Amino acid sequence: MNHTLKVFVVASCLSLTVGAQAAETVTIATVNNSDMIRMQRLAKTFEEQHPDIKLKWVVLEENVLRQRLTTDIATQGGQFDVLTIGMYEAALWGEKGWLEPMKDLPADYALDDVFPSVREGLSANGQLYALPFYAEASITYYRTDLFEQAGLKMPEQPTWEQMAEFAGKLHQPDKGQYGICLRGKAGWGENMALITTVANAYGARWFDEQWKPEFTGSEWKNALNFYVDTMKKYGPPGASSNGFNENLALFNSGKCAMWVDASVAGSFVTDKSQSKVADSVGFTLAPTQVTDKGASWLYSWALAIPTSSKSKDAAKTFSAWATSKAYAELVAEKDGVANVPPGTRASTYSDAYMKAAPFAKVTLDSLKKANPADPSAKPVPYVGIQLVTIPEFQAIGTAVGKLFAAALTGQMQPEQTLQAAQQSTEREMKRAGYPK
């Protein structure tokens, strides 16, 4: 090899090395929900627009994601640059100084367009710590064709007792049709999200004003007895393994006459490419009982940046893109306007969206009604509808969720379950020094 050629080869190799180093890797931890899988697919557009940023994805089941992120952030592990978290973590982790404040967003981000309740839920002490990807309430999905055949009429807001009556009339397990599908998979953000709204509707609360748990009160007894009894009579087999994704699959395959869950499922149950019942789905408010306070949850999956990230600027650039109006327009263009991530921006609820998305009005009404500062018929010392925004709740909610899943499988009686929930929660709260 002559000297000139040798210099050229070395220069070329150096140039390739510099080019490879120039692309900064942003590692994104997210949940395996359909909207996030879409985000991963459409993010190729982001990488084309930002050749200096390479995206690496870690997509996990909900409970696993929460465990991994909690461990990583508490130990300042720095494995991830973008975290997909909810209102619970954003407020607590932001206050602890574990998350980067979401300041100095691009002018076209239009933060004022984001619903105030969503902004507040992702803030601590007035500072925003996560950008909302989508927000949700819980709503009721039901099969209009089955209701019509049975001569039933769904009210604008049913009671849980009416739901049980409807379920009894529509339950045909010999045909693979179950009266009602509800979350049973253990987890503070899985079965406890749903069961807490049932309990709220029955007038229950997690804690009284002195932070004493109330599981042995009549309201929780009524709620858990109702839930277990209804699911055993009219739910699908193996319900204790079913979370959001499992129930979505059951509903879309025509196996659930009714389902109460996150409003974000609206675009999936009406998508003919994945739902066999797309043409016969009705939408209404989540059930009430003695009160409608806290009957529907409020939640947002959002993107946050841990202070341990070594690629904060690139992570912020991606987070702002994925939660922007421009991203919503990209989804509308590629996958249809009904699939735009819901619940975060006023501008989403245009005439075109309302017309294309039959679930939009119920979602919007539910989001407006949900008030985490006033989640129960009785006064409470905490903020949160389907969760309690204190650091201890993650462990407490998961422990109680396991007990309630055991009640669903018949391993424990509801009364015994509530006694155990009371004891374990009292023990944890005492250990944590409440009341503080």
Side-chain angles (χ1 to χ4, degrees):
M1 187 185 287
N2 66 38
H3 183 69
T4 310
L5 185 57
K6 216 183 277 187
V7 170
F8 174 75
V9 170
V10 170
S12 299
C13 290
L14 280 170
S15 148
L16 283 169
T17 306
V18 170
Q21 286 174 341
E24 192 172 3
T25 299
V26 170
T27 303
I28 302 156
T30 196
V31 67
N32 64 340
N33 290 353
S34 300
D35 277 290
M36 285 68 173
I37 291 164
R38 176 184 286 121
M39 171 173 63
Q40 185 180 359
R41 171 166 54 83
L42 295 181
K44 291 180 178 66
T45 299
F46 174 85
E47 289 183 300
E48 286 164 10
Q49 294 167 354
H50 301 84
D52 55 332
I53 299 174
K54 184 179 186 311
L55 303 178
K56 181 183 173 187
W57 295 85
V58 179
V59 183
L60 301 165
E61 186 269 329
E62 191 167 323
N63 284 339
V64 177
L65 175 75
R66 289 193 170 110
Q67 288 164 2
R68 286 275 299 274
L69 296 191
T70 301
T71 302
D72 188 63
I73 201 150
T75 59
Q76 296 288 291
Q79 286 184 57
F80 309 109
D81 302 298
V82 176
L83 314 176
T84 306
I85 61 172
M87 290 179 167
Y88 173 77
E89 296 93 346
L92 291 173
W93 296 357
E95 197 164 30
K96 282 181 180 285
W98 292 350
L99 300 176
E100 287 293 306
M102 287 297 189
K103 294 176 177 172
D104 307 319
L105 294 163
D108 62 359
Y109 188 80
L111 190 58
D112 287 350
D113 185 40
V114 176
F115 291 125
S117 61
V118 177
R119 291 203 307 264
E120 286 160 17
L122 297 170
S123 299
N125 304 317
Q127 174 59 57
L128 187 68
Y129 284 100
L131 300 178
F133 182 65
Y134 68 71
E136 62 186 33
S138 49
I139 65 174
T140 301
Y141 301 93
Y142 66 99
R143 289 277 300 281
T144 53
D145 54 339
L146 300 181
F147 267 68
E148 196 174 326
Q149 287 162 23
L152 301 173
K153 185 170 170 52
M154 176 65 83
E156 191 176 318
Q157 185 167 28
T159 65
W160 278 108
E161 284 177 7
Q162 283 176 315
M163 293 288 285
E165 285 171 26
F166 294 148
K169 289 173 180 170
L170 299 170
H171 189 58
Q172 297 181 30
D174 53 321
K175 294 182 179 177
Q177 178 183 304
Y178 307 104
I180 190 165
C181 293
L182 299 172
R183 294 187 188 192
K185 182 189 284 186
W188 69 265
E190 280 282 8
N191 64 342
M192 290 316 299
L194 184 280
I195 296 171
T196 300
T197 62
V198 179
N200 291 341
Y202 273 86
R205 55 186 175 175
W206 268 83
F207 301 100
D208 69 13
E209 290 159 283
Q210 283 70 52
W211 289 101
K212 186 173 169 59
E214 289 206 321
F215 289 110
T216 49
S218 61
E219 296 92 346
W220 267 105
K221 284 180 187 173
N222 292 338
L224 188 63
N225 275 312
F226 169 82
Y227 167 80
V228 170
D229 186 55
T230 303
M231 287 298 285
K232 282 186 175 177
K233 284 180 182 171
Y234 312 126
S240 63
S241 300
N242 294 345
F244 172 79
N245 283 326
E246 292 81 8
N247 281 324
L248 173 62
L250 283 169
F251 191 89
N252 278 351
S253 62
K255 291 181 178 173
C256 305
M258 298 182 298
W259 177 36
V260 180
D261 212 300
S263 57
V264 74
S267 64
F268 307 123
V269 299
T270 52
D271 178 354
K272 289 181 183 177
S273 71
Q274 59 179 296
S275 172
K276 288 182 180 176
V277 297
D279 290 328
S280 51
V281 183
F283 310 89
T284 196
L285 298 169
T288 181
Q289 192 58 38
V290 302
T291 178
D292 66 353
K293 275 193 180 183
S296 167
W297 70 58
L298 176 68
Y299 193 71
S300 171
W301 278 114
L303 304 182
I305 301 162
T307 51
S308 55
S309 167
K310 294 177 180 64
S311 302
K312 293 186 181 76
D313 289 343
K316 188 173 175 184
T317 301
F318 171 76
S319 300
W321 175 83
T323 59
S324 67
K325 283 180 166 186
Y327 177 79
E329 287 162 9
L330 179 66
V331 174
E333 178 198 329
K334 299 286 187 186
D335 293 357
V337 68
N339 292 300
V340 168
T344 61
R345 292 180 173 272
S347 59
T348 297
Y349 292 83
S350 62
D351 289 345
Y353 180 76
M354 297 296 274
K355 191 176 176 183
F359 49 86
K361 185 181 184 306
V362 171
T363 299
L364 196 54
D365 290 347
S366 301
L367 287 167
K368 284 176 179 173
K369 287 177 77 161
N371 183 1
D374 187 20
S376 170
K378 297 177 187 174
V380 295
Y382 55 86
V383 173
I385 297 174
Q386 78 285 12
L387 52 83
V388 179
T389 312
I390 57 172
E392 296 76 20
F393 181 74
Q394 194 164 351
I396 288 170
T398 297
V400 174
K402 286 176 182 173
L403 291 169
F404 285 11
L408 194 55
T409 59
Q411 291 169 269
M412 299 175 79
Q413 292 304 309
E415 191 91 11
Q416 182 191 4
T417 301
L418 290 166
Q419 287 286 352
Q422 181 76 10
Q423 287 167 6
S424 72
T425 305
E426 275 181 353
R427 189 169 56 246
E428 286 303 314
M429 293 299 279
K430 192 174 179 182
R431 188 180 293 162
Y434 284 84
K436 291 186 175 178

